[in-house]
Amino acid sequence: MILTVFERANLLGLLPKEGNISTLRTVRKAREAIALSDEENERWQPRIDGTHMEWKMIEEDGTPIPQEADIPISELAFGMIRKKLVEADSKEKLKIEHYSLYEKFVEKEYES
């Protein structure tokens, strides 16, 4: 699934923090896939500033740095994320940072 740096950072907060062993294994694998790789950390140089994350979007010469990556999301993880977004929507607790994730995980079907 094509995800931006912003979406990936927000996805980490949507994954369950507890559950049965099967859930925790799925979450661990999803976190590993979603987290930035060493190469991505070097390219984007992310940093936490207070309560939000910032990262490099353009090179020193003004060249834009691509912000998207193809991230493997298992069907189980997709379902967990979808469930969390649907619950937030039904409770009117969706945040603006969830908008594009809602479109990708709720309004579309899982694609392997």
Side-chain angles (χ1 to χ4, degrees), residues 7-64:
E7 290 169 332
R8 289 165 69 185
N10 284 297
L11 265 183
L12 291 172
L14 291 175
L15 292 170
K17 292 170 181 47
E18 57 186 24
N20 62 33
I21 192 67
S22 179
T23 297
L24 296 179
R25 285 184 178 136
T26 300
V27 168
R28 183 187 53 137
K29 289 176 185 174
R31 283 188 179 281
E32 289 171 0
I34 294 165
L36 301 181
S37 68
D38 290 342
E39 179 185 307
E40 290 171 326
N41 273 308
E42 189 174 311
R43 180 182 331 136
W44 292 316
Q45 301 172 11
R47 61 200 172 285
I48 303 295
D49 182 21
T51 59
H52 66 282
M53 184 172 131
E54 296 178 352
W55 60 92
K56 189 174 173 182
M57 298 180 80
I58 57 171
E59 298 287 358
E60 285 75 22
D61 66 1
T63 306

Side-chain angles (χ1 to χ4, degrees), residues 1-14 34-36 40 43-44 46-48 51-57 65-69 71 81 85 94-105:
M1 172 177 285
I2 303 299
L3 297 169
T4 66
V5 178
F6 182 74
E7 290 169 332
R8 289 165 69 185
N10 284 297
L11 265 183
L12 291 172
L14 291 175
I34 294 165
L36 301 181
E40 290 171 326
R43 180 182 331 136
W44 292 316
R47 61 200 172 285
I48 303 295
T51 59
H52 66 282
M53 184 172 131
E54 296 178 352
W55 60 92
K56 189 174 173 182
M57 298 180 80
I65 300 172
Q67 300 293 303
E68 297 179 329
I71 306 300
I81 295 163
L85 289 165
L94 276 179
K95 298 178 181 176
I96 192 67
E97 56 263 24
H98 297 144
Y99 188 85
S100 63
L101 293 173
Y102 190 91
E103 290 178 322
K104 291 180 180 184
F105 285 88

Side-chain angles (χ1 to χ4, degrees), residues 76-92:
L76 286 172
F78 185 94
M80 289 176 187
I81 295 163
R82 172 182 268 184
K83 180 180 176 185
K84 197 81 161 183
L85 289 165
V86 167
E87 285 174 4
D89 182 47
S90 69
K91 295 176 182 175
E92 297 186 8

